[in-house]
Amino acid sequence: MNNTSIFDIIGPIMVGPSSSHTAGAVRLGLLAQKIYRETPKEIKITLYNSFAKTGKGHGTDKGLVAGLLGLHVDDPKIKYSLEQAETQGIIVNFLYQNDTDRHPNSVDIELTGENKLFVSGNSLGAGEIEVININGFKVTLTGEYHTLVLVYKDQPGMMSLVSKYIQDYNINIASLLCDRKSKGQEAAMTICLDDQIADEALEKMKQLPDMYLVRRIEAIKR
Amino acid sequence: MIKLSTFAEVLEHANNNNKKLFEVFQDQEASLQEKCISFVRSKLAESLDVMHSSIKQGLANKELSPTGIVGDDSNKIIKRYTNKEIKTPFGELYGNIMAYAIATLEENQRMGKVVACPTAGSCGIVPAALIAYSEKFDISQEKQIDALLTAAGIGKIISFKVALAGAIAGCQAECGVASTMAAGALTELMGGDNEKILNAAALALKNVLGLTCDPVAGLVEVPCIKRNGFSAIHSATASEMALAGIKSAIPLDEVVDAMKQAGILMSPLLKECSEAGLATTKTGMHITNNLNINK
């Protein structure tokens, strides 16, 4: 509790009206964009529960699209993000759902362009967020850490190979989560790091046999 | 860093070291951030700039919120208080405090830039009180930052016991805490000592116990916008009482305990989910159904 900063009380500097429904939405969009890295041709957003019910009045729709276009929580252009997407020729569709199994402020984002990406996330309050699913794999991404997401063929020894490359650069692992579709099939690893990892290390990981995807996701500023 | 988790501990530490409360809060923040005090103060100066611009934008912009139900009330107050023909019971400062708080919330609802303080739904109270007083009494930026530090520190100590969110403890934790923070800030601004600052805060918080969070259609509009105007005035009343030497019979730490308890006992229906209270009144439901902003 002594880690509370006075800037958690006076702050963040943000575009209103709601830290959970607006600022949180922008950060979810931004994190999805950092995972996707391309400009999508099509954005499909499914809002759940409170996000679906009160989202429009809170600018949740504009916030999510703003984040997907790379805007931060204090950018006055958030208000015009839907127009900006249209100008850039990006098709944006919204769906509204009720699902009591999901978090009250929950969203699915599907991005289509050269590649496809599916991301599922929640806004936890006070601008805090989490991405809980990427392309069907369970992950925990909060945007607070530099994170590596790896997709590979489930097999023994993968974790030790990867962690060795991280250790070579003297970087501390803050947390690690593994998930797989089924034994011997596609698996995913989410690794939160205390420091940004070098391109060289990523290149080495990409060279590993049966490694399908290596993605570095930068922390997003608060 | 010394662990100071209650107001009693902060007060004792400050008085033993012959410091004002804001100095203790600023020392703690500098050591938390591993930066110097000037870094902390310059970051607060940035927040202060945004607070000024939210008020200015809020007053200049007459555009209604996206729902169309709010957005043009702050200027009505300015108009009344700048009309020399109209007799008002209090001076221009009173009008400005109300107008600045409402203007900030109107700007927030228009998706303008604000500083959450402590939340977005209560972001008008501290800035309105602080800036209106500073204009009236020509207070320097450095003194304003001292007051902001006082406000932030008070909010921080309360947050150790109660999460500052309507969903957790109702509006006591949002507009209630904001007016508590502002009461302390104004007392610092007007030269009150540490005891007077904490008395102002305790007096303010005592008077908002049980405040519910039941916004119409779940939006930061009704009653939030006008409540920011009320709460800013409320903070000035508490500060004036304390500066006059009135003490809170219940110390601030115990008032916070009472607030936490009231938050726990409050029905979840009255904690930000808009399933009771103002939100489900006949007119509240009518507004909700007519918004037609979602399918």
Side-chain angles (χ1 to χ4, degrees), chain B residues 5-248:
Chain B
S5 47
T6 65
F7 289 105
E9 286 167 12
V10 174
L11 182 65
E12 194 190 351
H13 177 80
N15 288 351
N16 286 346
N17 293 283
N18 209 12
K19 285 186 172 180
K20 289 300 295 277
L21 295 175
F22 81 82
E23 293 175 285
V24 175
F25 295 137
Q26 114 188 324
D27 291 346
Q28 292 237 309
E29 187 64 25
S31 87
L32 177 73
Q33 304 257 356
E34 298 175 347
K35 296 264 165 57
C36 56
I37 284 168
S38 63
F39 172 84
V40 174
R41 294 185 70 90
S42 72
K43 250 187 107 173
L44 280 170
E46 236 174 82
S47 300
L48 195 58
D49 281 346
V50 176
M51 290 173 176
H52 271 280
S53 70
S54 317
I55 292 171
K56 207 174 147 198
Q57 291 290 329
L59 289 172
N61 196 342
K62 294 191 173 63
E63 186 190 324
L64 296 181
S65 71
T67 62
I69 51 178
V70 290
D72 63 347
D73 288 330
S74 53
N75 275 298
K76 290 178 186 157
I77 299 167
I78 295 289
K79 208 172 153 194
R80 176 171 166 80
Y81 276 79
T82 46
N83 186 342
K84 301 282 177 242
E85 316 256 295
I86 296 175
K87 280 187 191 150
T88 55
F90 309 103
E92 195 188 358
L93 175 58
Y94 185 83
N96 283 346
I97 294 172
M98 284 189 286
Y100 290 180
I102 292 173
T104 303
L105 260 281
E106 286 174 346
E107 191 57 14
N108 180 56
Q109 189 50 45
R110 268 181 219 122
M111 301 190 77
K113 201 178 343 178
V114 298
V115 187
C117 188
T119 61
S122 59
C123 70
I125 297 159
V126 171
L130 185 63
I131 290 169
Y133 264 57
S134 299
E135 286 173 358
K136 164 89 178 169
F137 302 112
D138 201 14
I139 290 165
S140 71
Q141 175 165 293
E142 288 309 307
K143 289 287 292 173
Q144 292 180 49
I145 291 171
D146 296 349
L148 259 189
L149 278 160
T150 308
I154 290 171
K156 178 175 134 172
I157 303 281
I158 297 174
S159 78
F160 291 162
K161 280 185 185 160
V162 189
L164 305 184
I168 305 292
C171 198
Q172 343 169 72
E174 298 208 16
C175 288
V177 168
S179 67
T180 306
M181 291 161 60
L186 291 182
T187 310
E188 167 60 41
L189 215 55
M190 300 306 280
D193 62 17
N194 291 343
E195 280 78 6
K196 286 195 168 78
I197 290 168
L198 295 187
N199 269 304
L203 289 165
L205 188 57
K206 269 199 303 190
N207 199 39
V208 294
L209 293 188
L211 198 62
T212 59
C213 177
D214 49 358
V216 172
L219 302 174
V220 191
E221 300 197 0
V222 180
C224 323
I225 294 183
K226 292 168 201 99
R227 181 169 293 166
N228 270 256
F230 281 114
S231 304
I233 290 294
H234 175 55
S235 69
T237 310
S239 171
E240 277 303 293
M241 283 190 194
L243 286 165
I246 297 176
K247 288 181 180 153
S248 171

Side-chain angles (χ1 to χ4, degrees), chain A residues 75-111:
Chain A
D75 198 317
K77 293 196 293 292
I78 289 169
K79 198 173 171 177
Y80 310 106
S81 67
L82 298 180
E83 289 83 346
Q84 189 184 328
E86 203 183 334
T87 309
Q88 288 180 228
I90 302 168
I91 301 161
V92 184
N93 282 304
F94 291 96
L95 292 170
Y96 304 92
Q97 297 283 341
N98 198 28
D99 182 348
T100 47
D101 290 338
R102 299 280 301 251
H103 187 277
N105 300 324
S106 183
V107 62
D108 291 340
I109 302 171
E110 283 177 70
L111 303 174

Side-chain angles (χ1 to χ4, degrees), chain A residues 3 18 33 54 63 65 89 91 98 112 123 127-128 135 138 155 182 192 198:
Chain A
N3 281 333
S18 161
Q33 172 52 35
T54 68
V65 172
I91 301 161
N98 198 28
T112 313
S123 176
E128 306 271 338
N135 285 348
K138 257 188 266 174
Q155 59 190 285
S182 63
C192 296

Side-chain angles (χ1 to χ4, degrees), chain A residues 32-43:
Chain A
Q33 172 52 35
K34 289 201 182 272
I35 300 164
Y36 191 56
R37 287 203 185 163
E38 300 167 31
T39 305
K41 289 194 174 70
E42 204 174 327
I43 299 172

